[in-house]
Amino acid sequence: MSALNAPQREAIHYLDGPLLVLAGAGSGKTRVITQKIAYLVQGCGLAPNHIAAITFTNKAAKEMRERVDKLLPGQPTDALQISTFHSLGVRILREEAKALGYKPRFSIFDAADCAGIVGDLARSIDKGALRRLQAIISNWKNALITPEAARQLVADEHEKLAAEVYLSYEATLKAYQAVDFDDLIMLPVRLFEAHPEIAEKWQNRLRYLLVDEYQDTNACQYRLLKQLTGARAQFTAVGDDDQAIYGWRGADIANLRKLPEEFPRLKVIKLEQNYRSTVRILKAANNVIAHNEKVFEKRLWSDLGHGDPIYVSAHPDNEVEAEAVAMKLLAHKFEHRGKFADYAILYRSNHQARVLETQLRNQRVPYLLSGGQSFFDKAEIKDITAYLRLLVNEDDDPAFIRAATTPKRGIGAATLQALGQYAGERHISLFAALFEQGFAARVQPRQLDPLHEFGHFIQRMQQRAGRESAKTVLADLLAAIRYEAWLYDSEEPRTADSKWANVGELMGWLANKGDAEGKNLLELTQTLALLNMIDKEAADLDAVQLSTLHAAKGLEYKHVFLIGVEEGLLPHRESVDTGKVEEERRLMYVGITRAQRSLHISYCERRKLARELVPCQPSRFIAEMGRDDVRFSGGQHATTPDKATGSDRLAAMKAMLSKPPKRS
């Protein structure tokens, strides 16, 4: 406790009612949450199973639990509920499934599984259209809008189609005894509304709630929190209105504004001391965010010294910008004898990374791409791993549905719905249900035959997978389902080439691992945490982090390059057109406050779009930072006369790399 500042200590000890901790960027909010959990257990004698800490990412929950374990050595902390909203929702639904008409082992479908259902219902295979439909339905669910109500709210043709699909989509999920990601919050809310006695049971179980990133809650999450806290209202909400950047996915900053009105006894404590950044960086951040209308007034400060000036550079176009960033980063690393992992390059939109990746590869700079698609998230990899999951666990319903329908083998949506309904009534898996006489009586032989054929195929492969080499079984599995032919029939040749190469990589990796460890395919699939493989390898790399601003929230880096800071990109054109510049300004604020020691901002005078160069203007946010602590180079705003051309400056940087580094 002695290492904490006064507001942090006050936030930890305050238990007289609902509390809002306004935690500015880098102000030690995770420390406050974890120390408060320790105080509740050690200082107040509250049993760990009566405490819940809720956050937005599995990574944040994992970090929180590790810190609590260190603060409570020897204490049984397993009963502590430290998890995401969605994990808490799963826990509630598993226990209370019967009240909602689900079996406890209901399936959770991912976005790809759900896209398949939406595509069938909308009779579309256009991926962009399907993503748009899924986003609309997701926003309705997060706002607690029913399919019936959605039909009265449609504003355009996209929403009209989404409303038509929504009702059938919900019925299909229920028939499969499945839920989607949004249901994990929405269904507990519906459950507590319909069954007050169940809500009271959970209120008595979770007697103190701590909520991280409160500004990111949507209407559904806010309702769930109110239901869990009940009349007792014993909670600590930690958030920052200046970092509310997820409005586009349903997060509602109004949830912060409502707290003082809905909880008149609410205590507000501000954490304004920043432990991350230098004074100059914070001054620029404060200057920018001051242009927004404030929910709560606060101003970050730091005692880490003034630090380096902020550098803003203009470049003729985005290719020159990318080359200059790569060279500046190398020169800076060389001069300061740092690591690649000390650096992050941040940008507004994913497409900005392409030209950057080319330049970094040219300069042999190792990098990690955040927000990019994981190898195991690729559709073709998920197709094959669905078969492997089913070989190991016949009760894996999502794997069953994916494997049974990819490639197509005459098993249609109506057949699967009938199977799902029967399995739900019998409280058994889809795989077990397909062999029962009761199900056979419900469907036509032409529906049953392909299912039986598929089931017997899986059983044959299971027997072989337990005794033969992984390499042999994998090769025969792929040949039997004719996956390669199906890929080339359903995709453009270049796309099919790429996808088949990925499948080959997976097969080769599993086969080699099987040979090296003497394991068959069942043992490999049981023992390998496939999805964590790449993440664990990435964590050990010394590499520059490339990331969108949204994905970088909550992270920090010694040195940050923030690129493409132009009107139309940051703030984004759509946000300007729809009057949402304040959220874009908060995004700029998040970008600035990721930097600990140095911040380099760049923009282009022209940007290559398709085959033409389009004129660009520097973002309004650059001017809003002020000029006192900023050094400009290139363009009309250069701080000092700068006669050197872009290529001359790059040549100078390259020359610098040939010099020995300065000694610390």
Side-chain angles (χ1 to χ4, degrees), residues 310-470:
I310 295 167
Y311 295 96
V312 175
S313 51
H315 300 285
D317 60 54
N318 44 317
E319 290 188 356
V320 175
E321 178 188 44
E323 187 183 3
V325 166
M327 295 308 302
K328 278 183 186 173
L329 189 153
L330 276 171
H332 193 279
K333 174 185 176 293
F334 185 77
E335 187 178 3
H336 294 83
R337 308 182 80 183
K339 299 183 297 183
F340 283 116
D342 294 338
Y343 295 82
I345 306 174
L346 309 180
Y347 36 83
R348 174 64 176 82
S349 299
N350 272 313
H351 67 83
Q352 292 171 257
R354 287 177 203 143
V355 64
L356 203 54
E357 286 188 82
T358 302
Q359 289 298 336
L360 293 175
R361 283 197 297 268
N362 288 347
Q363 301 299 333
R364 297 182 181 176
V365 175
Y367 65 87
L368 290 170
L369 191 63
S370 179
Q373 191 181 38
S374 157
F375 181 72
F376 287 98
D377 281 337
K378 294 178 187 296
E380 62 275 18
I381 301 304
K382 293 180 86 165
D383 289 342
I384 305 307
T385 53
Y387 282 89
L388 302 185
R389 284 161 50 195
L390 195 56
L391 293 182
V392 169
N393 176 17
E394 292 174 355
D395 293 341
D396 190 335
D397 286 349
F400 177 93
I401 290 169
R402 190 169 193 126
T405 56
T406 313
K408 300 285 185 192
R409 51 168 51 85
I411 300 171
T415 306
L416 284 171
Q417 281 192 39
L419 181 64
Q421 202 147 5
Y422 178 82
E425 291 166 13
R426 296 271 292 114
H427 297 288
I428 56 177
S429 70
L430 297 175
F431 192 89
L434 77 87
F435 291 113
E436 294 208 347
Q437 286 298 316
F439 173 65
R442 291 192 183 188
V443 293
Q444 301 294 321
R446 61 181 172 77
Q447 293 174 286
L448 191 61
D449 290 346
L451 274 174
H452 276 176
E453 189 181 325
F454 174 68
H456 291 311
F457 168 68
I458 293 297
Q459 288 175 330
R460 288 195 303 274
M461 296 308 296
Q462 278 177 321
Q463 290 168 0
R464 293 186 57 194
R467 59 174 189 261
E468 297 179 33
S469 77

